[in-house]
Amino acid sequence: MPERTESESRKLLRRLRDVLAVPGKGQDRLDSITHLIADSMGTEVCSIYLFRDPETLELCATEGLKKEAVHQTRMKLGEGLVGRVARSGVPVNTADAPGEKGFRYMPETGEEIFSSFLGVPIQRVGEKLGVLVVQSKEARGFSEDEVYAVEVVAMVLAEMTELGAFIGDDGAMKALHRQPVMFRGTQGQEGAAEGRVWLHEPRVVVTNPVADDPLTEIDRIRAAVGELRVSIDDLLGAEELDKDQKQVLEAYRMFAHSRGWLRRMEEDIMRGLSAEAAVEKEQSAARTRMEQVPDAYLRERLHDLDDLSNRLLRILTGQGKDTGAEMPENPVLVARNIGPAELLEYGRKLRGVVLQEGSVGSHAAIVARALAIPLVIHADRITAEALNGDQILVDGDQGIVHLRPEETVARAFRDKIAMQAEAQKRYASLRGLPAEDTAGTCIRLDMNAGLMADLPSLESSGAAGVGLFRTELQFLIRNKMPKRAELASLYTRVMDAAQGQRVVFRTLDIGSDKVLTYMKPNDEPNPAMGWRAIRVGLDKPGVLRMQVQALIRAAAGRPLSIMFPFVAEHAEFAEARSHVLRELHRERSLGHVAPERLEIGAMCETPSLAFAPRAFFELADFISVGGNDLKQFFFAADRENERVRRRYDTLNLSFLGFLEGIVARAAETGTPLSFCGEDAGRPVEAVALAALGFRTLSMRPASIGPVKALIRRVNLAEAKAVIDTARANGAETARPRPAGLAGAADWLIPGGEGRASGGAAPAPPGYLDRVEGAKAGPDVICPEISPPEANA
């Protein structure tokens, strides 16, 4: 690049910095900046558009367009050329703007006389803040150097916007990180909590986007990259790393040693940016590319580069993860994503968790359920908006997060929490009573568990036993395979804590969304239907045998129940069962005490197993229907896919008929049958399952009270008659939809009180009114009794 261009670019940034250094109002600064840029670029127009809300851009300052259009001209994301830049994050450079596809003429601006158009995004580390536009009457395309210069200026504007340099009274110029914001995400774990934000990775703040001495900044960036490379080399030299962990760090080292990466940042510095701003500019570009790359592998590599940029920024700024800030009294963890071990380190001190990414079946979600803390996932952009200490409300029932809420919302939310607490008190009064319907039919209610921390819930929840103990969590939270002695010790403590109540241990259920970092990854096009669970156990029998040995030794003569996950055919179960019997014989020969009674069962999570030969039902000591997986395969609807999973209702009569067939086949052979999954913990769905003939339901501990309360108020035979009548009438679902109620379940409750069953009260007025204008209703306080789209 010619020295003249570099000098002009630096000169523009210095002039920009001088304007920003002058005390004044945000509007005055923006007006001065648009005048400065138009003058420096030799264009008739310079305009700055900022986001008024996530979907709306507002003209906040202009040089060359009509002044009366400022704060009046607005456009939606994707609308016109400005909206296109904002949506894509990619510049638009055209000599004939009116002839460009998607052009929208805004008559109040008087822009019809300007032909050339250059728009670049104002963005910071992937967070889009607005659009910077220059226009001229002359029909010409802007040069590569001119485009670059405007991009660099936009980068500085983004940093200064983040630092509050353009605060004004108008909506688009209100101070960042101070306004109430609502995030609509996805339910990860039910519950409601109020607290203060605790960021898992605090934001890096760049206060010096413009450099005085480029050569000094280049020395800084080279020294920081050198330190980064050494740190990665040191990590690679650690003896405890396995092959797969080294492969990840090798990818980091490849990027850290990339000459192109460093060269691009040095070019940015020569154009006038500081070392920190150059890193963020390259990071923003990487995130923009990430959004446009369809290939998952390449996206993951760009994600590596993103993480590497964060490491480099922390070296340059000295802002490590430990900022010295004290964790607030009622912390709500906010993170892009988090691993199970890291979440367990925080433990029960957390009031809730909000993730920008994640999935309903992720390790973090499993741990959050085990810790019984509300979790919301897919809260887009929350890590960019939240600051440590911000007030936050987490509604895991609705998948909604309120950041810095208005007092009216906070007050109604507290009413909801109070009502839930009151309902829990009423449920506690039922703890010692059986889950018996009005006709005397008794349903066994078990709890699901996966951590030692779950076991105290056996007594407090009133559960009859543990219908599912997830053994994979102890594998997921480690960076290497646990030893047999470690597992035996854990399983012993679990049985001791159960105090003689039945515990069903599910063997290792990995694969799909549960991947062990120390096992070689398998790139599968559809991992949910790939190499997972019992398939891994049968292909790697050493792990299965080791786990069975640990369970037999932990039982130490007590009854033992072992269950295999994701069995698809009779032969798989027979082979897995034979492994258990061989290990039992081996343990006896070694002098270990055999279990007093050994039960070997299977989870029915695939439709194929429902049609297995009679011999399977005769061989299995018990069968547990795994409702979460079975439903997704029955409806061919990925439960991780928000677009499709909400379409299908558990009370769909086709699905209920399918379940009824499983109940009938188990009854023929006298095989004990249970239902395990999220639907077992939703009172209306639980009543329907019990009406079909399931006499054991297994759920999270917090659901036992509401389910028991409802079962004790209904007649299961009458509920079954309602299902049969709906089927005879050709209905698609057993869940009627009276006018004004989405998915009400009044048919199940005496007196038509279905929406507020189980002791729950109506929602506090005003809460849902504050959430996207929705009509307040009892679902707010009784999430277990909810419309089908929330239950699918």
Side-chain angles (χ1 to χ4, degrees):
M1 178 185 301
E3 176 61 26
R4 184 194 67 79
T5 303
E6 295 175 355
S7 299
E8 288 299 322
S9 176
R10 289 200 298 271
K11 185 189 300 182
L12 172 58
L13 287 178
R14 287 198 186 97
R15 292 177 66 189
L16 181 60
R17 182 185 59 190
D18 293 341
V19 167
L20 292 170
V22 175
K25 296 181 178 179
Q27 187 63 59
D28 295 337
R29 284 179 167 176
L30 281 182
D31 292 340
S32 298
I33 289 170
T34 54
H35 174 77
L36 168 65
I37 296 172
D39 180 62
S40 299
M41 296 288 297
T43 59
E44 289 92 346
V45 174
C46 175
S47 304
I48 294 175
Y49 297 81
L50 297 177
F51 276 103
R52 181 180 180 87
D53 59 55
E55 295 294 324
T56 310
L57 288 153
E58 181 179 296
L59 176 62
C60 291
T62 186
E63 173 76 15
L65 300 182
K66 292 180 180 179
K67 291 295 184 183
E68 53 267 31
V70 173
H71 299 307
Q72 300 303 313
T73 296
R74 294 171 187 167
M75 59 192 69
K76 291 295 183 182
L77 186 66
E79 184 179 15
L81 300 185
V82 173
R84 188 209 298 182
V85 173
R87 180 185 290 279
S88 67
V90 176
V92 170
N93 179 11
T94 176
D96 180 20
E100 192 75 15
K101 184 178 179 181
F103 174 80
R104 182 192 170 192
Y105 173 56
M106 311 291 285
E108 71 273 16
T109 64
E111 65 178 340
E112 67 273 10
I113 62 175
F114 303 107
S115 181
S116 299
F117 175 97
L118 170 61
V120 301
I122 301 172
Q123 59 185 357
R124 181 185 183 274
V125 197
E127 181 187 1
K128 295 166 184 174
L129 302 172
V131 177
L132 174 61
V133 175
V134 292
Q135 295 171 273
S136 64
K137 295 178 182 178
E138 179 187 357
R140 69 179 184 90
F142 290 89
S143 69
E144 183 179 334
D145 289 336
E146 288 174 316
V147 173
Y148 195 95
V150 175
E151 286 182 319
V152 170
V153 171
M155 170 74 195
V156 175
L157 291 179
E159 291 295 339
M160 302 315 295
T161 300
E162 171 75 15
L163 294 172
F166 310 123
I167 295 175
D169 296 330
D170 191 80
M173 295 176 61
K174 287 182 179 178
L176 298 177
H177 313 300
R178 296 185 189 177
Q179 308 306 314
V181 186
M182 188 196 81
F183 299 88
R184 181 172 285 281
T186 302
Q187 301 162 312
Q189 160 69 10
E190 295 166 348
E194 178 180 5
R196 296 282 173 178
V197 168
W198 181 251
L199 291 169
H200 182 55
E201 291 188 340
R203 295 164 62 89
V204 175
V205 179
V206 176
T207 58
N208 59 329
V210 181
D212 281 319
D213 183 355
L215 296 181
T216 299
E217 294 301 300
I218 285 180
D219 287 342
R220 290 182 65 228
I221 194 74
R222 288 176 178 174
V225 169
E227 184 178 336
L228 179 67
R229 290 170 176 171
V230 170
S231 68
I232 294 173
D233 290 341
D234 289 344
L235 287 172
L236 273 166
E239 294 182 1
E240 62 269 20
L241 291 179
D242 60 25
K243 179 181 176 182
D244 297 319
Q245 290 171 315
K246 286 185 177 180
Q247 285 180 345
V248 173
L249 287 173
E250 285 289 359
Y252 270 55
R253 180 158 69 177
M254 178 187 72
F255 280 122
H257 286 269
S258 168
R259 293 180 180 178
W261 186 47
L262 181 58
R263 185 189 69 248
R264 288 191 298 273
M265 291 187 290
E266 289 180 348
E267 288 176 352
D268 291 331
I269 290 170
M270 291 306 297
R271 293 244 166 107
L273 291 181
S274 67
E276 291 88 343
V279 174
E280 282 204 345
K281 184 174 183 300
E282 179 62 22
Q283 189 178 15
S284 293
R287 287 197 177 181
T288 300
R289 293 196 295 272
M290 221 186 299
E291 294 175 359
Q292 298 169 348
V293 172
D295 184 84
Y297 176 81
L298 291 178
R299 276 201 311 273
E300 190 61 33
R301 299 287 70 76
L302 287 170
H303 184 72
D304 291 342
L305 180 56
D306 190 35
D307 288 344
L308 204 62
S309 298
N310 282 330
R311 288 174 179 243
L312 186 56
L313 278 172
R314 296 189 187 283
I315 292 172
L316 283 166
T317 62
Q319 298 173 31
K321 288 187 178 182
D322 185 4
T323 62
E326 290 188 11
M327 183 179 287
E329 193 170 318
N330 297 313
V332 171
L333 186 72
V334 174
R336 283 182 63 191
N337 216 333
I338 190 169
E342 293 173 303
L343 186 52
L344 279 170
E345 285 179 12
Y346 286 105
R348 293 185 183 275
K349 68 181 74 169
L350 297 176
R351 299 296 299 273
V353 178
V354 181
L355 299 181
Q356 189 164 306
E357 299 172 358
S359 66
V360 295
S362 67
H363 312 155
I366 293 169
V367 173
R369 292 185 194 116
L371 297 175
I373 51 179
L375 168 67
V376 173
I377 58 177
H378 302 149
D380 189 38
R381 294 184 62 255
I382 193 165
T383 56
E385 182 64 44
L387 296 178
N388 273 339
D390 280 343
Q391 183 185 10
I392 187 169
L393 310 176
V394 182
D395 189 339
D397 306 327
Q398 306 291 327
I400 291 173
V401 178
H402 297 278
L403 187 64
R404 301 180 292 269
E406 296 176 355
E407 183 54 30
T408 52
V409 173
R411 198 161 45 239
F413 191 84
R414 291 180 194 122
D415 289 343
K416 167 182 177 171
I417 293 177
M419 287 181 175
Q420 286 185 334
E422 187 63 31
Q424 287 300 325
K425 289 180 183 178
R426 289 195 289 273
Y427 298 147
S429 68
L430 304 175
R431 186 180 303 147
L433 300 176
E436 187 176 86
D437 81 338
T438 57
T441 301
C442 194
I443 306 299
R444 177 187 172 101
L445 302 183
D446 285 341
M447 60 171 267
N448 299 333
L451 297 169
M452 276 300 299
D454 292 327
L455 273 300
S457 297
L458 252 178
E459 182 178 354
S460 62
S461 68
V466 179
L468 168 66
F469 190 90
R470 305 179 183 92
T471 62
E472 61 270 8
L473 284 180
Q474 299 307 315
F475 289 78
L476 291 168
I477 62 178
R478 286 172 162 81
N479 57 16
K480 60 182 178 180
M481 184 75 70
K483 296 180 180 178
R484 179 180 57 196
E486 294 173 328
L487 294 178
S489 175
L490 169 70
Y491 301 151
T492 297
R493 295 199 303 274
V494 170
M495 291 186 186
D496 290 345
Q499 298 182 349
Q501 292 175 288
R502 182 173 182 253
V503 180
V504 177
F505 290 92
R506 183 178 69 185
T507 60
L508 190 59
D509 185 6
I510 58 170
S512 185
D513 56 339
K514 297 189 284 288
V515 180
L516 303 183
T517 58
Y518 44 87
M519 286 186 68
K520 185 177 180 180
N522 290 281
D523 295 326
E524 296 182 294
N526 192 344
M529 300 177 69
W531 195 60
R532 54 174 291 201
I534 192 60
R535 297 168 181 176
V536 177
L538 295 177
D539 288 351
K540 290 186 174 293
V543 178
L544 176 61
R545 289 198 299 267
M546 183 263 286
Q547 191 176 19
V548 170
Q549 291 164 11
L551 285 167
I552 293 172
R553 295 182 186 186
R558 291 174 287 191
L560 176 62
S561 298
I562 298 176
M563 178 168 64
F564 299 116
F566 206 65
V567 177
E569 59 181 11
H570 172 48
E572 287 178 337
F573 176 73
E575 183 180 354
R577 183 176 180 275
S578 68
H579 280 297
V580 175
L581 296 179
R582 278 198 298 270
E583 293 311 314
L584 177 62
H585 176 73
R586 179 178 178 277
E587 290 297 299
R588 278 175 173 153
S589 67
L590 292 174
H592 295 291
V593 180
E596 174 189 329
R597 183 179 70 257
L598 177 63
E599 294 179 305
I600 305 174
M603 289 203 83
C604 178
E605 300 171 273
T606 63
S608 62
L609 198 62
F611 300 98
R614 182 185 176 92
F616 162 71
F617 288 86
E618 293 173 339
L619 187 62
D621 293 321
F622 64 93
I623 296 171
S624 177
V625 172
N628 297 342
D629 263 328
L630 186 64
K631 190 165 64 176
Q632 79 164 338
F633 294 128
F634 182 85
F635 288 112
D638 182 0
R639 64 191 179 107
E640 301 292 343
N641 187 333
E642 288 298 298
R643 290 183 176 181
V644 298
R645 79 181 186 94
R646 293 175 177 270
R647 294 172 65 95
Y648 302 100
D649 183 11
T650 305
L651 300 189
N652 178 289
L653 288 166
S654 296
F655 186 58
L656 293 183
F658 177 64
L659 293 177
E660 200 170 10
I662 298 175
V663 171
R665 295 209 64 194
E668 288 175 5
T669 54
T671 308
L673 181 69
S674 65
F675 188 100
C676 174
E678 293 174 10
D679 289 321
R682 296 188 169 104
V684 171
E685 283 75 3
V687 166
L689 293 169
L692 293 180
F694 287 95
R695 292 296 173 259
T696 300
L697 305 175
S698 190
M699 64 203 72
R700 68 189 186 101
S703 296
I704 289 176
V707 169
K708 182 184 292 186
L710 185 53
I711 287 176
R712 289 179 59 84
R713 297 174 59 194
V714 303
N715 183 303
L716 293 176
E718 292 178 3
K720 178 61 164 62
V722 172
I723 294 172
D724 292 340
T725 299
R727 183 184 292 122
N729 291 338
E732 185 174 21
T733 176
R735 192 191 308 271
R737 302 172 184 268
L741 290 178
D746 295 338
W747 56 278
L748 283 173
I749 316 299
E753 300 168 347
R755 306 296 309 289
S757 65
Y767 174 57
L768 274 194
D769 291 336
R770 306 293 302 175
V771 181
E772 297 186 343
K775 181 179 179 182
D779 283 340
V780 178
I781 190 64
C782 194
E784 301 91 347
I785 303 178
S786 47
E789 58 270 20
N791 289 339

